[in-house]
Amino acid sequence: MPELSVSLAHEPAQETVELTINGRAVSAPKGQLVIEAAEKHGVFIPRFCYHPRMNPVGMCRMCIVDIDTGRGPTLQPACMIEVAPDMKVDTESPATRKSQDGVLEFLLINHPLDCPVCDKGGECPLQDNAYAYGPGESRFVEEKRHFEKPVAISNLVHLDRERCILCDRCTRFANEVAGDPLISFINRGSQTEVNTFPDHPFASYFSGNTVQICPVGALLARPFRFKARPWDLDKVESTCTSCAVGCRVTIEVSRNHVLRYQGVDVDPVNWGWLCDKGRFDFEAIESDERLSEPLIRKQGDSDPDGELIAATWSEALTTAADAIGRADAKSVGVVGGARLTNEAAYAWAKLAKGVIGTDNVDAQLGDGLPGEVAVGLPAATIDDVCAEGSIVIVATGDLKEELPVLFLRLRDAVINRNVKVVELTTTTTSLSSLATMSLRHRPGEVHLAMAALVGFGRDVGNISAILDGDVLAARRLVADSAVNAIIGRPSVAESADAAVEAAAVLLEAKPDARFVVSLRRANVRGALDLGLAPGLLPGRVALDAGREWFAARWPKVPSERGLDTAGILNAAADGRIDVLVLLGADPLNDFPDRALAERALAGARTVVAVDTFVNESVSKADVVLAAAGYAEVSGTTTNIEGRVSRLRQKVTPPGTSRPDWMLAAELAYRLGIDLELESVEGIWREIEAVSAVHAGITEELLESPAGDDGVLVPLRPEVAAAAEGTHVQITGVDGTQPASEELSSAQEQEASGSEPSGEETPEEAAADAAEEGAARQAEAEADDARPATVAFARNAPYQSPVVDSYSLRLATTRKLFDDGTLVQHSPSLAGIAAVSHLVANSYDLNRLGVAEGDVVKVTSPQGSATFEAHSSDVVPRGTAALVVNQRGGDPSPLIDVTTAVTEIRVESV
């Protein structure tokens, strides 16, 4: 273990005030609310309307306590009063107790006695506060008011108006946090109630959060209603994998069935919020259509194509391994892997690249950025882009649809933290109304928009042909400011080259710019970090740079760079792929070019599918290996900012389905190679040993308090500040630093020269784990001379194609609720996906003689399809928009992934 030095850099201390709470002198930051200061010092003040992530309103009056600011004690709401010097707070005075009795007695006047049947019973703050602070009996004997119960205010949420205590939590969340003011107070006096507006359901992507924060059983989640009582639930904390944000959740189980997810407040990521897709798609785990055993295609005399029938694991694995063993390494392709854990992704990368010897591996299905770009761009965190006063450039799809909780964080930053957003977009998005500047450009020209934004000598006359928006004002905004960027693939109907060029342009103008790469698939960042991309080895190491180093640790290493998903499918379509492995992938429905996917599945000699359901692509496979899914496996996942967090198993996989890493190990064994991967913990130790960016991130660190919020990779060079505003940096002799997010008290004492106490605190344990991780990182780098990680490098400048005045350029957008496998196997979500329509500017439709609602034929050089046409000014002239993976029209027959943009012609049918 290297010697550690501790360097101190003093930062301005936050101003504090001294006050007294229940006779005990305490200090609190200036501006902190009394209710927060009391809770931090171990004094709980009951509350209903107060929520730490929303603005206080002081409506319920449950938190009224005696507060003396020098003019005598008076009853005041603790959620509305900031701490002040010499303030005296008494939460146990007779006046306080009488006030609490009165508030609860009034709340219970009309509250129904539903506790025996209410889903909230057992975790209800009203119930708890009535026991702890209430009078014990009521003087009111009058008949309680009655309403119809429950009222379905959306597909997912039911409202029981009788139980509502008018705390304003749900309405504040919908308005302040989500920006969807679809639920509000109506009527007056004793008839006041929370409800939706007539003919306007609570159609928010975040409605489930109101159920979780409701302090009574007024709002209930339909998928959980009457399923279990809270004390029946066995819970474990995990990470959501419905998208790449990586929200923390609890998985709540009864009788080996997943019944509910709840959000966990993790400060760097989701603040306790979840989108409705992430909250309710647990139903897919319980689907009767889950794969529970392996399948093999058997051909008969009457059915030359054969059918998939159940097989033993030995037969299925041997069949798959025999096909791989007969094939040349270059004729094996692996598509998918973004849905795997980090450990499973490493096992499959080691199987494909270290055993089979193929580099034809890609976790992205043609909707992301090249692997070297995604992992090589200078990284920013979610907190970075949401920091006070930041300038953020957003050049991606609609964040609310693709990464919903990132949208919530950015929305809060704009409204409450003076963050300025400049949006580069083809169509108006959910972020456009929040952006300081929203500059719209043609598909395939985001790099020109970026160049116009950062200057580079282009005059406004040239820019005006490209952009709609105040370019000069946007340019002035970013000219002298440090910027962060959220960048991704604006549309799958155009190549990734324009987005890569846009990143290069921004870095050229702003070398200090940092990026959040908005890849939407759950663990795509982890898959890329661990080598599931052509040209990359685990640890963000280029194949050529790491070939020699990995050759000493793996059985073999690919001899040359392989193909991405489009290249693999093209090769399969041409008959050059002997074995095509679908690793949790459905290219027929999830790859932009369906025609190519169809030819590929027909042209590959053997298709091996590893999945949890028989989707359309899996149904074409020759061998199907049943995989365990979310909540059925343990491991880790990595979010868009590179934060590694834990996944935990809570239920048993159906039938004989197996974890993905185990399937990789079994196939390798049948190919005559032992992967030497025997457990999730063992795989992580090997990842830490071979991956340059995971070095030092030990199991102990991930399990320590410092790992509760996840650990950023690579290990951060600083540990967070301790108390007193002192910035402490723990540095190894070789300059490496641990990744603990807090400084332990033992390290503070070491820095100050005082003696440590005897018993180790959780903070000390976390710091020790971080210190050990730093030491192991230093030793690994010193002993192994690990190859360098890739850095973003600009290729030849991208040239956008010439505009065709007779065509429209196609922009594809996404919706949160789609026709995907998990959504469609979750009954509560399955009916939400909309029908895809062609949306174009009214000017273009009028020019083409197309009326609103007409059925039109859309033709591209690739193919044609029919859609219903609608006009909207959210789409600029010369552009048409279609939503991918929705019911009804499908834009994939129009898209050719080999072209820079998709040009379409529209005509009435």
Side-chain angles (χ1 to χ4, degrees):
M1 180 177 294
E3 179 183 353
L4 294 179
S5 62
V6 181
S7 61
L8 304 179
H10 293 283
E11 297 177 350
Q14 185 175 7
E15 185 177 353
T16 61
V17 299
E18 304 297 324
L19 70 156
T20 302
I21 299 178
N22 291 348
R24 182 161 61 97
V26 300
S27 62
K30 183 178 180 180
Q32 189 173 52
L33 297 174
V34 170
I35 194 171
E36 297 170 342
E39 187 164 3
K40 186 173 182 181
H41 290 90
V43 178
F44 178 79
I45 298 176
R47 77 292 300 267
F48 292 118
C49 66
Y50 169 77
H51 190 283
R53 295 297 186 185
M54 293 187 287
N55 295 323
V57 290
M59 290 186 64
C60 72
R61 316 313 267 187
M62 188 67 219
C63 68
I64 286 180
V65 295
D66 258 331
I67 300 178
D68 185 354
T69 58
R71 293 180 291 181
T74 58
L75 291 173
Q76 300 183 64
C79 73
M80 297 294 290
I81 306 300
E82 295 182 357
V83 295
D86 302 323
M87 174 185 282
K88 295 179 181 178
V89 179
D90 191 343
T91 70
E92 300 174 346
S93 69
T96 298
R97 291 187 179 278
K98 185 175 180 180
S99 173
Q100 292 168 345
D101 281 354
V103 169
L104 284 164
E105 187 176 21
F106 275 105
L107 286 177
L108 294 172
I109 291 174
N110 276 304
H111 195 79
L113 301 177
D114 285 350
C115 295
V117 296
C118 178
D119 279 318
K120 200 75 172 182
E123 58 181 8
C124 174
L126 177 59
Q127 192 179 59
D128 295 340
N129 287 337
Y131 279 119
Y133 305 100
E137 61 180 340
S138 175
R139 293 168 292 176
F140 294 90
V141 297
E142 288 77 16
E143 176 75 10
K144 297 177 182 288
R145 65 183 179 186
H146 299 286
F147 293 105
E148 176 190 354
K149 57 190 302 182
V151 176
I153 58 175
S154 76
N155 290 350
L156 301 170
V157 178
H158 284 186
L159 169 65
D160 192 323
R161 292 167 291 174
E162 294 178 356
R163 299 174 186 167
C164 179
I165 60 172
L166 305 180
C167 69
D168 200 27
R169 274 191 172 193
C170 59
T171 55
R172 276 185 293 147
F173 173 85
N175 186 33
E176 296 176 11
V177 179
D180 299 325
L182 302 172
I183 186 169
S184 184
F185 289 124
I186 62 174
N187 300 327
R188 293 190 176 189
S190 63
Q191 296 302 308
T192 302
E193 62 183 74
V194 165
N195 214 322
T196 57
F197 299 101
D199 301 321
H200 287 80
F202 191 24
S204 170
Y205 285 170
F206 309 101
S207 64
N209 294 290
T210 64
V211 175
Q212 182 170 340
I213 65 176
C214 178
V216 292
L219 292 171
L220 299 171
R222 185 172 69 85
F224 178 70
R225 191 164 178 262
F226 297 147
K227 292 292 178 65
R229 305 312 301 265
W231 54 82
D232 294 330
L233 298 173
D234 190 15
K235 307 175 184 179
V236 68
E237 191 170 313
S238 189
T239 307
C240 178
T241 58
S242 293
C243 77
V245 175
C247 302
R248 294 297 282 174
V249 299
T250 57
I251 303 172
E252 306 193 359
V253 175
S254 180
R255 302 177 303 278
N256 200 42
H257 294 287
V258 178
L259 297 181
R260 185 170 69 174
Y261 297 155
Q262 295 280 67
V264 175
D265 195 326
V266 171
D267 193 69
V269 187
N270 63 308
W271 291 5
W273 312 132
L274 299 176
C275 71
D276 284 352
K277 181 179 178 180
R279 185 180 293 273
F280 296 117
D281 67 4
F282 70 86
E283 293 178 314
I285 298 174
E286 302 296 321
S287 173
D288 293 336
E289 298 180 27
R290 281 287 305 277
L291 269 170
S292 60
E293 58 188 345
L295 308 174
I296 291 181
R297 186 171 301 280
K298 297 287 188 179
Q299 295 180 340
D301 295 336
S302 60
D303 186 5
D305 293 331
E307 62 176 338
L308 289 171
I309 63 172
T312 65
W313 273 106
S314 178
E315 184 181 8
L317 289 166
T318 300
T319 302
D322 287 346
I324 295 171
R326 291 192 300 268
D328 181 78
K330 295 179 182 179
S331 67
V332 177
V334 180
V335 172
R339 286 166 53 185
L340 307 184
T341 65
N342 287 330
E343 291 79 1
Y346 176 78
W348 276 91
K350 188 175 182 181
L351 170 65
K353 301 190 177 190
V355 174
I356 301 171
T358 181
D359 194 50
N360 299 329
V361 179
D362 193 7
Q364 302 185 89
L365 268 70
D367 61 351
L369 300 177
E372 295 92 339
V373 173
V375 302
L377 283 169
T381 66
I382 295 173
D383 278 345
D384 290 338
V385 300
C386 297
E388 187 84 24
S390 296
I391 306 295
V392 183
I393 299 173
V394 178
T396 184
D398 193 329
L399 290 180
K400 188 175 183 179
E401 305 287 350
E402 298 185 10
L403 302 168
V405 175
L406 176 59
F407 167 80
L408 289 188
R409 288 292 311 273
L410 202 56
R411 185 179 189 277
D412 172 82
V414 171
I415 293 174
N416 299 318
R417 301 169 192 273
N418 195 35
V419 169
K420 306 295 184 185
V421 171
V422 178
E423 182 189 37
L424 308 181
T425 178
T426 299
T427 64
T428 299
T429 72
S430 304
L431 193 62
S432 298
S433 61
L434 298 169
T436 305
M437 303 287 175
S438 186
L439 308 180
R440 291 193 288 176
H441 57 83
R442 288 188 294 257
E445 296 183 355
V446 65
H447 62 299
L448 298 179
M450 186 71 78
L453 179 63
V454 297
F456 283 14
R458 291 173 170 82
D459 59 43
V460 178
N462 292 330
I463 296 167
S464 63
I466 303 168
L467 298 174
D468 289 333
D470 193 340
V471 182
L472 288 180
R475 185 183 294 179
R476 286 192 296 268
L477 183 65
V478 304
D480 300 319
S481 305
V483 301
N484 293 304
I486 300 174
I487 196 163
R489 189 76 167 269
S491 164
V492 294
E494 59 189 78
S495 76
D497 295 339
V500 175
E501 180 69 7
V505 169
L506 179 58
L507 276 176
E508 184 176 347
K510 299 280 186 180
D512 294 332
R514 295 294 179 266
F515 296 81
V516 171
V517 180
S518 59
L519 305 177
R520 67 180 186 89
R521 297 180 189 275
N523 192 31
V524 64
R525 186 64 180 264
L528 298 179
D529 280 352
L530 292 164
L532 289 184
L536 286 179
L537 292 169
R540 306 178 189 171
V541 173
L543 178 61
D544 292 337
R547 182 177 288 108
E548 183 177 347
W549 194 89
F550 273 87
R553 290 156 179 81
W554 282 3
K556 64 176 70 170
V557 181
S559 58
E560 60 184 46
R561 182 187 177 92
L563 304 170
D564 63 5
T565 297
I568 294 170
L569 296 181
N570 266 308
D574 293 341
R576 293 182 284 114
I577 292 293
D578 289 324
V579 179
L580 176 62
V581 179
L582 303 180
L583 200 52
D586 181 11
L588 286 177
N589 292 302
D590 213 9
F591 185 70
D593 187 340
R594 181 181 175 92
L596 175 58
E598 289 174 342
R599 297 198 308 272
L601 290 177
R605 292 174 179 82
T606 302
V607 178
V608 178
V610 181
D611 219 309
T612 56
F613 290 92
V614 178
N615 54 45
E616 189 175 359
S617 298
V618 171
S619 68
K620 308 292 184 183
D622 301 292
V623 182
V624 180
L625 305 180
Y630 182 75
E632 298 164 354
V633 295
S634 293
T636 60
T637 185
T638 306
N639 78 344
I640 50 174
E641 55 182 351
R643 186 179 301 275
V644 176
S645 55
R646 303 293 303 189
L647 294 170
R648 300 190 189 276
Q649 179 181 359
K650 198 57 190 168
V651 293
T652 305
T656 61
S657 56
R658 301 182 180 183
D660 297 274
W661 70 265
M662 193 177 294
L663 298 177
E666 291 277 7
L667 287 171
Y669 178 76
R670 283 166 172 76
L671 291 171
I673 301 293
D674 185 357
L675 283 187
E676 300 180 353
L677 304 177
E678 299 178 350
S679 67
V680 171
E681 295 76 17
I683 298 173
W684 186 261
R685 286 192 292 271
E686 182 166 327
I687 290 173
E688 193 219 341
V690 303
S691 168
V693 296
H694 294 89
I697 302 178
T698 63
E699 279 280 315
E700 294 76 17
L701 177 58
L702 290 171
E703 293 289 353
S704 74
D708 284 347
D709 294 349
V711 179
L712 289 168
V713 295
L715 284 176
R716 289 282 153 151
E718 299 173 351
V719 287
E724 306 298 332
T726 302
H727 182 83
V728 181
Q729 179 174 303
I730 302 178
T731 309
V733 293
D734 63 346
T736 59
Q737 295 89 18
S740 173
E741 306 245 347
E742 294 185 3
L743 182 70
S744 75
S745 58
Q747 291 163 337
E748 288 178 339
Q749 291 162 346
E750 181 182 348
S752 62
S754 61
E755 291 295 325
S757 60
E759 188 173 347
E760 188 176 55
T761 66
E763 290 77 13
E764 291 171 332
D768 288 344
E771 179 180 325
E772 180 184 352
R776 289 170 68 170
Q777 182 189 34
E779 291 171 355
E781 291 176 351
D783 296 341
D784 298 338
R786 299 187 185 209
T789 58
V790 298
F792 176 74
R794 186 178 192 173
N795 295 324
Y798 165 74
Q799 297 293 329
S800 57
V802 177
V803 175
D804 182 352
S805 300
Y806 296 94
S807 299
L808 302 178
R809 284 191 178 177
L810 178 63
T812 54
T813 60
R814 291 189 180 274
K815 292 290 185 182
L816 180 66
F817 299 114
D818 55 20
D819 205 26
T821 301
L822 294 182
V823 170
Q824 294 308 314
H825 284 91
S826 300
S828 298
L829 303 178
I832 299 179
V835 175
S836 183
H837 302 299
L838 180 81
V839 181
N841 192 279
S842 56
Y843 170 84
D844 290 318
L845 292 185
N846 290 335
R847 180 169 59 89
L848 296 170
V850 176
E852 177 76 14
D854 281 358
V855 175
V856 295
K857 180 180 180 181
V858 181
T859 306
S860 76
Q862 179 78 354
S864 64
T866 58
F867 302 89
E868 190 175 295
H870 293 271
S871 64
S872 174
D873 291 337
V874 304
V875 180
R877 294 181 182 182
T879 302
L882 287 168
V883 183
V884 300
N885 205 13
Q886 296 288 301
R887 300 193 169 190
D890 178 14
S892 61
L894 306 171
I895 301 171
D896 181 355
V897 294
T898 64
T899 60
V901 295
T902 301
E903 304 275 5
I904 60 173
R905 303 285 179 96
V906 179
E907 57 183 327
S908 296
V909 175

